[in-house]
Amino acid sequence: MAMLSDDLEAGELIPLAGSSEPQCAIRVTDLGKAYRLYQQPLDFLKEIITGKPRHHEHWAIQNVSFEVLRGRVVGIIGPNGAGKSTLLKIIAGLLDASTGRVEVAGRLSAILELGTGFHPDVSGRDNIVLGGMCLGMTRAEIEAKVPWIIDFSELAEVIDQPFRTYSSGMQARLTFATAISVDPEIFIVDEALAAGDTAFVNKCMKRVRQICESGATVLFVSHSSGLISELCDEAIWIDKGRVLMHGNAQRVSKAYEQSVWDIEEARNLRETKKLSQSVESTAETGKYELGGGTLQISSVEVIDIEGKPIGVVRNGQPLRIRVSWAGFSEHKQIYASLRIDTARLQAVTGIEGYDGGLFLDGDDGLPERGSVIYEVPELALGEGQYYISAALCRHMLPKGAEAILHYVEKAAQFSVSRNSLWHFNYLYDPKFTCRIERS
Ligand SMILES: Nc1ncnc2c1ncn2[C@@H]1O[C@H](COP(=O)(O)OP(=O)(O)OP(=O)(O)O)[C@@H](O)[C@H]1O
């Protein structure tokens, strides 16, 4: 654990001005934050009364050290609960550290919580002034910015109404607009707070970009490695309260993204295994199935070229799905079909084995066990999680539910990863070709 030097308070904010390294805007040394956790709320009271500790300490961040040079845009990335907000709140002076110290050189503005300084009974207009003063602006500075903020928030019609009458989205718009109106030397922002409809989020991000390009030193928290590699010079990857990697933004984003896909891969394989086990035990799992008498789907898997099950497929690469069956059927001309759905069960694509004339039984009938492998040579699906449902059917006309011998919904799951770090998400993501015509 980081120890404090004798002459410093834990988490003390020390201006770097006059430092021998004028290029340094932020220096964090051995920073740590321990939260006290109580098993039940009453334990806190009992601790105060008896003086006996009834809590255990949870270190949200530990031994965190780094320097940020003036004018650098630095992304902070990491999974949920990694300690990003805790770290930035301490740097912004909103939270005390348990160990270590933070030195900051320059006027700092942070958007880490929305609504600080805003009062429900005061009008939107007056709240801009109150909120702006909480962000460190003088009254004159903020008053000069009021028209810009009203225009940016698109709330001119209701600006003189009490803040409590605003919807939560309107409140977020006004507080974010106020917060990004500042011209800071050091700017700390959590991208997740740019809430609202797509057009408003885009507008907020445009302003954040402007600040990044203005020469300010920026710490930018985001879950999007694409956005970090696009906006930032360098990035810090935090996990379980510690700095895992600090360096070039593209390099760190790529490494972080790979770790996310590794976790996804393991999760998808685990879940698919559970799903295929549950094919045999429908009653307990409550999974949706139809049919499944003497002939059953025994597994559905996404596989690599060697037939090994995988959980993540990269867009543009081949997608191979293996549907295996076991059992026997009195029917002839049996075919398999499958459907791929998004996590919200929106059907994306599929194949009817019958349409392709692909029957599983040959002249000698249907073998007791076998598999059919479907392949999409170049996957054109956007990043995300997908589910596969499969069916074994018998050929009959007209086609109807009685044609289905066994249907298993969500029999397997897989994720699609992108080709690039670009942050837009698409459902359909083919390889585009383009031609430039210059006149
Ligand atoms: N006030 C608090 N009391 C107790 N524990 C807390 C408190 N605030 C945060 N924590 C814990 O500290 C750890 C780090 O939380 P933090 O909010 O800094 O993570 P984060 O990286 O910002 O997460 P996210 O990406 O989900 O916002 C988590 O385990 C969280 O549960």
Side-chain angles (χ1 to χ4, degrees):
M1 186 193 311
M3 297 304 292
L4 285 174
S5 64
D6 293 343
D7 55 340
L8 286 170
E9 289 272 314
E12 189 181 351
L13 278 167
I14 305 154
L16 271 171
S19 145
S20 57
E21 295 155 272
Q23 287 304 309
C24 195
I26 300 168
R27 186 186 299 126
V28 171
T29 314
D30 272 340
L31 207 63
K33 172 73 186 174
Y35 287 109
R36 287 183 170 190
L37 297 185
Y38 295 87
Q39 205 117 55
Q40 40 202 352
L42 219 59
D43 284 351
F44 173 64
L45 215 61
K46 285 183 187 163
E47 182 175 287
I48 294 177
I49 295 166
T50 62
K52 280 194 196 145
R54 298 185 74 96
H55 66 267
H56 73 269
E57 283 184 339
H58 170 62
W59 286 86
I61 55 167
Q62 228 171 344
N63 297 110
V64 173
S65 300
F66 59 86
E67 286 186 355
V68 177
L69 298 184
R70 206 180 292 276
R72 301 286 283 175
V73 179
V74 180
I76 310 286
I77 201 159
N80 289 126
K84 305 179 295 291
S85 308
T86 303
L87 168 68
L88 295 189
K89 279 181 190 163
I90 297 172
I91 295 176
L94 300 170
L95 193 66
D96 289 332
S98 308
T99 64
R101 64 174 175 168
V102 172
E103 298 160 84
V104 173
R107 177 172 132 150
L108 183 146
S109 169
I111 312 179
L112 294 169
E113 289 169 332
L114 288 183
T116 311
F118 280 63
H119 195 285
D121 295 325
V122 174
S123 73
R125 189 186 299 278
D126 291 341
N127 262 313
I128 295 176
V129 178
L130 293 174
M133 285 163 77
C134 279
L135 286 163
M137 286 187 261
T138 64
R139 196 178 182 101
E141 269 175 325
I142 186 76
E143 274 176 356
K145 287 181 191 291
V146 168
W148 182 90
I149 294 167
I150 296 173
D151 182 51
F152 191 94
S153 65
E154 299 164 23
L155 293 170
E157 278 178 28
V158 292
I159 203 66
D160 292 309
Q161 303 295 322
F163 193 59
R164 68 180 142 74
T165 64
Y166 291 15
S167 71
S168 56
M170 288 155 83
Q171 293 188 356
R173 271 172 184 248
L174 194 67
T175 50
F176 202 89
T178 306
I180 56 174
S181 69
V182 287
D183 300 308
E185 287 168 342
I186 299 174
F187 184 55
I188 301 181
V189 63
D190 187 338
E191 180 222 352
L193 297 179
D197 55 42
T198 313
F200 188 72
V201 171
N202 285 343
K203 211 157 84 164
C204 292
M205 288 315 298
K206 197 169 156 195
R207 172 70 186 140
V208 170
R209 269 172 224 264
Q210 258 176 11
I211 297 175
C212 289
E213 284 158 12
S214 71
T217 307
V218 179
L219 290 185
F220 176 70
V221 188
S222 174
H223 283 281
S224 161
S225 43
L227 204 51
I228 290 212
S229 72
E230 185 201 338
L231 268 185
C232 305
D233 305 308
E234 49 188 283
I236 300 174
W237 171 8
I238 300 200
D239 198 2
K240 298 191 183 78
R242 293 174 188 267
V243 174
L244 272 194
M245 201 172 170
H246 180 184
N248 170 278
Q250 271 97 12
R251 206 162 48 81
V252 176
S253 301
K254 238 185 166 146
Y256 171 69
E257 176 127 337
Q258 187 54 50
S259 83
V260 170
W261 289 121
D262 288 348
I263 294 168
E264 279 279 281
E265 170 105 55
R267 191 165 58 93
N268 284 331
L269 287 175
R270 219 173 35 240
E271 290 301 314
T272 297
K273 204 166 166 196
K274 263 200 250 163
L275 288 165
S276 62
Q277 278 164 356
S278 70
V279 166
E280 282 142 36
S281 53
T282 316
E284 294 110 77
T285 58
K287 251 172 71 67
Y288 182 65
E289 275 187 68
L290 203 66
T294 54
L295 180 65
Q296 299 212 341
I297 294 170
S298 53
S299 70
V300 177
E301 297 153 305
V302 175
I303 52 170
D304 65 11
I305 193 146
E306 278 142 20
K308 200 166 97 309
I310 52 172
V312 178
V313 182
R314 190 171 278 270
N315 181 38
Q317 298 290 308
L319 168 71
R320 296 182 194 88
I321 299 169
R322 180 167 60 204
V323 177
S324 305
W325 74 83
F328 63 90
S329 172
E330 57 187 296
H331 302 290
K332 290 206 174 359
Q333 294 195 307
I334 293 163
Y335 63 90
S337 295
L338 62 84
R339 196 184 68 231
I340 298 180
D341 296 326
T342 63
R344 293 184 180 177
L345 276 190
Q346 178 191 7
V348 179
T349 184
I351 174 162
E352 279 271 346
Y354 169 72
D355 295 340
L358 187 79
F359 296 116
L360 308 179
D361 45 330
D363 295 340
D364 301 334
L366 185 75
E368 219 170 280
R369 285 187 178 272
S371 347
V372 51
I373 295 163
Y374 297 94
E375 182 168 330
V376 179
E378 272 190 34
L379 188 64
L381 279 184
E383 180 186 327
Q385 173 105 58
Y386 296 91
Y387 292 88
I388 306 168
S389 300
L392 294 175
C393 306
R394 64 181 164 124
H395 176 207
M396 65 183 290
L397 288 172
K399 277 199 279 180
E402 61 276 24
I404 298 172
L405 299 172
H406 192 200
Y407 166 74
V408 185
E409 191 167 274
K410 283 188 163 184
Q413 69 182 59
F414 67 102
S415 298
V416 175
S417 66
R418 296 166 287 184
N419 289 324
S420 71
L421 284 172
W422 187 239
H423 59 278
F424 288 153
N425 273 345
Y426 311 102
L427 193 57
Y428 177 52
D429 196 9
K431 274 191 184 143
F432 279 90
T433 59
C434 80
R435 194 180 67 241
I436 297 166
E437 290 181 353
R438 297 195 178 89
S439 47

